[in-house]
Structure formats: C-alpha cells, structure tokens
Amino acid sequence: MATTTKSAWVTMEDAKTSINLFCCVLGIGSLAMPSNYARAGPVYATIALAFMMFANTYAAIKLSRAMLAAPSSVKTYGDLGEWALGKWGRFFSVVSQMGVCILVPIAFLILGSTLLDVLFPDCFSQTFWIIFMALMVIPVCLIPTLKESAGMAFAGCMGTAIADVIAVAILQYNMRGHPSIPKPDVSAHQVLTCFGNLAVAYGAAIVIPDLQREHSQPHRMPRVLMVTIVLISAFFFAIALAGYLAGGCQISGNILYSIVDTSNPLGTAPLGFTPSRAAVVMSY
C-alpha cells in the first residue's frame, strides 16, 4: 500500500531563507515610510503601499518560478535574462543590477555621513565621513555568498528596525498632548513620490536568484517569498502609520531627520521639541 508523505509547511531552511531575504530588503527605505503618509495622506499612501506589496510579491514569485523552469546552468540574474530574452536580456538585466549596486550604496553613504555628523558633531565634514564609510565597507563587498554575509545582513536589518522603532517612540512621546495632526495638501506629485520611496524600500528581486540557488528545495521558494514580503510590508505599514499619527504632514523625508535638527544636533528638533540625546544616539 502506497503511503504519501506531507511536506512541512515551513522548514528550518525556509526560515533561514526568509530571514535572509527579510534582512536584505528591510533597510533605509523603511525610514521614509512615514514621509509617504505625510505627503500623500493615509488613504493614498496605503493604496500605494498595497499596490507595491502586491506588485513585488507577484514579480518575486514569477521570478522564482522562472528560475525553477530554467536549466541548471542559469544561476544569476544575468543568466536568467539571457535565457529568457537572449543577449539583450542579459544586457538589460546586468545594467539594471549595476544601477542598483551603484545607486543604493550612494544613498547609504549619504545617509551614513549625516548620521555620523549628528553622532559626532563638529568633528569632520560629511565628505570625510563618506570616504571613511566607503573604505570601511570594502571588505564586506568581497564576501562571495549571501550565506557568509548573513550575520552582517542581520545586523544591518536589526539596526534599521531598531532605529525605526526608537524614532517613532521619540515622536510619539514628545508629540503627546498636541492638537490633532495637520493633514497634507495632497497632489499628484506627492502621490507619485510615494512610489519612488517604495521602489527603494522593496529590493527583493536582485537577491532572489542567489537565495534560490542556495536552497536545497527551490520549489518552496515562491511560498517563502510571498510570506516574507507580506511580513516586510506589515512592518512598513506599522512604522508609517505610527510616525504619521505622531506628526502628520510635518514628518521629514527621513524619520530620523524629524527627531533631530541635523544642522544643530544638540538643539531643538524640527517639530519643536527637545529630544533625549541618549534616545537620538540610540536611533542614529
């Protein structure tokens, strides 16, 4: 008599892959989530967030299934592009990947230099901090696989998540007792800007081929991707709504810039309160 074995809904390897993907996606884009609500209001910003969540989930699942259908020689994003669309497919895949690899570090370095300038005011210029950070991360760029860099990805993810939570807590605490939050004057430009911020926040596609190649049961990846992106989106929504409810349309493009004046780190914050220096240091 034949017996059928039911595979587990989630395995330890699924969990590790999900955590790795979560850590790769959850980054500085989350710091701009409250500003989306500040620009476009809760209705349009929520619609934009939901659209980007479904679009990225759909694209990630389709990418994973394409990897499953591709021959074993297809291992990278460029390989997949060539398998699907020939040489031009590889060209556009590699160019888009290079664009991400160039633009995202620029955003990180600019943000990092601002953070260090707040933590150590009047020490060095932002240019110095940018060069210093770039030199410090060169060894990280030489790590060949995602598995070997999982620890650093986790540290970066947790650092961003903690910064989000502390920044929102600072806003909620210092803005308590204030009148009702001011509503934004919504325009098409502000709504479209939300999609730009969300495009930075969602960056799963570039790491999916590597994660799927390293998974011993790649057919499980579509489910892993769907669950992980939904969890990331839930975190984005919570941070965005909590920040917006504290400051309304007064929230800056980066929530960290709302809790401290970057030009005068020891002075009054842009929203008119004097934050705890210890809390600011922890978030930064």
Side-chain angles (χ1 to χ4, degrees):
M1 181 177 178
T3 59
T4 58
T5 58
K6 186 177 180 180
S7 61
W9 194 85
V10 62
T11 65
M12 182 59 68
E13 191 172 13
D14 290 343
K16 290 180 179 178
T17 302
S18 178
I19 292 172
N20 210 330
L21 180 63
F22 192 96
C23 293
C24 290
V25 175
L26 182 61
I28 61 174
S30 65
L31 299 171
M33 289 298 119
S35 71
N36 289 342
Y37 279 65
R39 288 191 182 98
V43 175
Y44 290 112
T46 301
I47 292 173
L49 178 60
F51 173 81
M52 291 297 286
M53 178 187 71
F54 286 115
N56 279 272
T57 302
Y58 178 81
I61 290 175
K62 288 299 181 182
L63 176 59
S64 176
R65 289 178 176 171
M67 289 289 293
L68 289 173
S72 58
S73 59
V74 175
K75 298 182 180 299
T76 66
Y77 209 41
D79 293 342
L80 185 62
E82 184 173 3
W83 176 71
L85 297 172
K87 295 295 184 182
W88 282 108
R90 174 178 286 277
F91 173 78
F92 286 114
S93 297
V94 173
V95 167
S96 65
Q97 195 171 19
M98 288 177 63
V100 173
C101 292
I102 292 172
L103 296 177
V104 171
I106 290 174
F108 270 105
L109 292 173
I110 293 174
L111 175 62
S113 66
T114 304
L115 302 186
L116 289 170
D117 200 35
V118 170
L119 291 174
F120 308 103
D122 302 323
C123 289
F124 300 103
S125 66
Q126 279 193 272
T127 303
F128 174 87
W129 285 125
I130 289 174
I131 297 172
F132 177 79
M133 287 184 62
L135 293 175
M136 291 300 101
V137 299
I138 287 177
V140 179
C141 301
L142 301 178
I143 297 176
T145 66
L146 287 173
K147 282 185 176 180
E148 292 174 342
S149 61
M152 283 173 288
F154 179 76
C157 169
M158 290 304 298
T160 305
I162 291 171
D164 284 323
V165 172
I166 294 177
V168 167
I170 291 173
L171 286 175
Q172 289 283 351
Y173 179 78
N174 288 282
M175 297 298 289
R176 70 192 188 284
H178 282 245
S180 58
I181 57 175
K183 302 296 191 295
D185 185 13
V186 181
S187 66
H189 172 72
Q190 290 171 313
V191 174
L192 292 175
T193 302
C194 291
F195 288 94
N197 287 339
L198 290 167
V200 174
Y202 286 100
I206 196 170
V207 297
I208 289 174
D210 291 325
L211 291 175
Q212 183 150 328
R213 188 179 70 248
E214 295 173 3
H215 200 296
S216 62
Q217 296 177 292
H219 64 276
R220 303 178 64 90
M221 280 295 293
R223 180 191 297 169
V224 173
L225 294 171
M226 181 183 68
V227 172
T228 306
I229 294 177
V230 169
L231 290 175
I232 293 169
S233 301
F235 180 82
F236 286 165
F237 176 74
I239 292 297
L241 190 60
Y244 174 74
L245 291 177
C249 67
Q250 303 171 100
I251 299 296
S252 303
N254 185 319
I255 192 172
L256 295 180
Y257 299 162
S258 296
I259 63 173
V260 66
D261 184 356
T262 55
S263 61
N264 182 21
L266 302 179
T268 303
L271 296 185
F273 58 84
T274 302
S276 165
R277 179 63 182 170
V280 169
V281 170
M282 288 292 293
S283 64
Y284 270 62

